[in-house]
Structure formats: structure tokens, C-alpha cells
Amino acid sequence: MILLLKLALAPALVVGSSMAGRRWGPPVAGTLVALPIVAGPILLIISLDQGTTFGAHAASAALLGLVSLSLFALILAWACQSMGWWSALLVAWAGTLVADICLSRLAVRPGIGLLLVLASAWTVAKLLPKEPSEPGGDLRAAKWPWWDLPGRAAGVLVVIVTTAASALGPQATGVLAPFPIATSVLTAFVLAQRGPAAAVRVLRGIPHGLLGFAVFCVLVAVLIKPLGARVGFTLATVGTLTVQLIWRRLAGRDNWPRVTGPGRRRRRSVLAAASRRSGPAVEAGSEG
């Protein structure tokens, strides 16, 4: 069972979020990859393998890893303005690892960790480069190579295999769990194909996704010991999705797609045709 989770769960989540990013564009892609699509399976696996006490401690420590994740977005957003995608990624990884090493020496309660994540997300959102005047290309129109989705899944497998780092203990394992592998692959591809403007649009989605991620970690840390791993992770997942939906409504829908189905497109085309046929009459009526 645990082997199946390692081989299938996280890759499936990353591929699904990647498909959604292709469908709806960079802001949504950035928000989705900031959700616990990699760290969630890692925390679940170590909780099943090492016990709920270990898992609860790691989930609490993962909140500190989210602070590093927000720093990654900030460093990469500014580095890609003057560097190639590979150089910018190396700089962002180095900064993230330094932050992880420093934060792994701390131990905070879930509530304090949540406040730290919210503060870092708010700060990074303010410090990111301003929205460029040029759109930087449409991610949905990009021609993705055949190896893209398998490549992302393979990158996730590397992270899952490194959960052998549980030998480091729950604190270090938790801090390293949110390391931005999936985010790095997505952003690097967008940067190489569409330039810094589109990459910044992806990275802008990360602070918006951290709220749900942080709620997930808090709920796991609090619930899995009294309720068990399966119930705790189920409730944490439901809580995360609920928080993200509420946040989407409160923050507005500027960075999210409008759902348009065939019926709505068909109605728009009919109305447009009717408008063309009765254009003068409509204009006269509107002036009156």
C-alpha cells in the first residue's frame, strides 16, 4: 500500500495540476502547484510508515517549509528578470535550501507556524515584481513537449524517494517536504518558453495557494494523533479545498478562469449574430 502511494499518488496529483494549468493558464497553475500535491503525499506516507506522532511533528514543521517556499517564489521572480532559466532556478534553490537549513533548527506550534506562513505570503505578494504590461504569452497556447508530464512525475518520484530522509527526524523531514520540485519544473518551462512575464504570473499564484497549504498542515498536525492518519488527512484535504474556495471568492476572480461551456459559447454566438442583423435598430433604441 505504501509503495503504491509512493509510486502513484503524488505523480498523479502533479500531472492533474499540470493539465489544469495548461487549460486555465499561469495564475491558476501557480496556485495549484502551491497546494500540498507533493508534500501532502509525503506527510501521509511518513505518517503511515513512521506513526502519527512522527507525522504530526513533521506536518507542524512543514509550515516552516512553506516560509521557504514563499521565499523561493520571490527569489526566482526577481532572478529571472536578468538570468536564464537555469541560473535563476539554481539561485532560487540555493536560497530555499539555506532557509530550510536555518528553519529546521526551529520548532513552533501549528498556530505560530500558520501565522508565520500568512506573514511570509503577504510580504512576498507585496515584494514580487509588478504585473508586466505585456502578457508574456499564453501558457494555454504553448506547445508542450511529449516528455513534459512524465518528466514532472519523475521529478516528484525523486522527492518521494528522498523521504528516506525521515532518518533525519520529523523536524527536518517536515521542513523539506514542501521543497518546490513541481513548482520549479512548471516555472522553468514557462520561463524558457514564454519569458519572465509569464513566469512571474505563475509565481504570483504561489502566495495565494499557501493559505490552503498551511491550513492542511495545521489540520494534519492537530487531527492525526486523536483521529488517525486516514481520517485526519481526509478532513485536512476537505478543509484545504474549502479554504481555497472561500479565499477565491473573497480575493476576487481576476486570476481565475471563467467557466465557459459549449452552451454558453453557443448562446454568445447566437446573440452576436442577432446583434449584427439588427445593429442599426439596436443602436437607435439604445440612444433613445
Side-chain angles (χ1 to χ4, degrees), residues 60-68 100 103 106-108 113 116-117 171 175:
S60 183
L63 291 164
L64 298 174
L66 297 184
V67 176
S68 298
D100 281 342
L103 291 171
L106 301 177
V108 297
L116 290 175
V117 174
Q171 182 70 19
V175 171

Side-chain angles (χ1 to χ4, degrees), residues 212-268:
F213 201 151
V215 169
F216 176 85
C217 293
V218 170
L219 291 177
V220 169
V222 171
L223 295 177
I224 62 171
K225 288 179 70 175
L227 300 179
R230 290 171 178 81
V231 175
F233 274 89
T234 300
L235 293 177
T237 301
V238 172
T240 299
L241 296 176
T242 301
V243 167
Q244 283 301 106
L245 290 174
I246 294 173
W247 171 248
R248 173 185 171 184
R249 289 185 178 276
L250 292 178
R253 301 187 180 185
D254 293 341
N255 289 334
W256 289 85
R258 290 185 175 87
V259 178
T260 57
R264 182 173 295 185
R265 287 195 295 267
R266 192 179 303 113
R267 287 194 298 272
R268 282 205 296 260

Side-chain angles (χ1 to χ4, degrees), residues 60-249:
S60 183
L63 291 164
L64 298 174
L66 297 184
V67 176
S68 298
L69 178 59
S70 63
L71 180 64
F72 168 84
L74 181 63
I75 295 175
L76 184 56
W78 283 106
C80 72
Q81 304 299 314
S82 57
M83 299 180 180
W85 69 269
W86 185 242
S87 300
L89 200 57
L90 287 177
V91 170
W93 278 347
T96 304
L97 283 173
V98 170
D100 281 342
I101 292 171
C102 294
L103 291 171
S104 66
R105 299 178 180 274
L106 301 177
V108 297
R109 293 182 177 274
I112 300 299
L114 176 61
L115 292 178
L116 290 175
V117 174
L118 295 179
S120 65
W122 183 85
T123 303
V124 166
K126 294 295 184 182
L127 295 179
L128 283 170
K130 292 183 178 180
E131 190 75 21
S133 57
E134 71 278 4
D138 189 353
L139 180 61
R140 292 166 286 185
K143 184 177 180 181
W144 301 80
W146 66 268
W147 46 262
D148 171 62
L149 292 179
R152 296 187 197 190
V156 174
L157 287 176
V158 172
V159 179
I160 296 178
V161 170
T162 60
T163 53
S166 59
L168 297 173
Q171 182 70 19
T173 302
V175 171
L176 291 173
F179 194 83
I181 295 296
T183 307
S184 298
V185 175
L186 172 63
T187 309
F189 181 86
V190 172
L191 179 59
Q193 295 291 318
R194 296 292 168 177
V200 169
R201 292 188 67 208
V202 171
L203 294 168
R204 278 188 170 276
I206 291 178
H208 295 287
L210 289 183
L211 175 60
F213 201 151
V215 169
F216 176 85
C217 293
V218 170
L219 291 177
V220 169
V222 171
L223 295 177
I224 62 171
K225 288 179 70 175
L227 300 179
R230 290 171 178 81
V231 175
F233 274 89
T234 300
L235 293 177
T237 301
V238 172
T240 299
L241 296 176
T242 301
V243 167
Q244 283 301 106
L245 290 174
I246 294 173
W247 171 248
R248 173 185 171 184
R249 289 185 178 276

Side-chain angles (χ1 to χ4, degrees), residues 12-59:
L13 291 174
V14 172
V15 169
S17 67
S18 301
M19 297 291 287
R22 294 183 185 186
R23 171 65 178 83
W24 290 309
V28 175
T31 302
L32 289 174
V33 296
L35 290 172
I37 58 175
V38 175
I42 290 175
L43 293 174
L44 174 59
I45 290 166
I46 64 174
S47 297
L48 295 174
D49 197 26
Q50 303 290 331
T52 54
T53 300
F54 189 103
H57 189 168

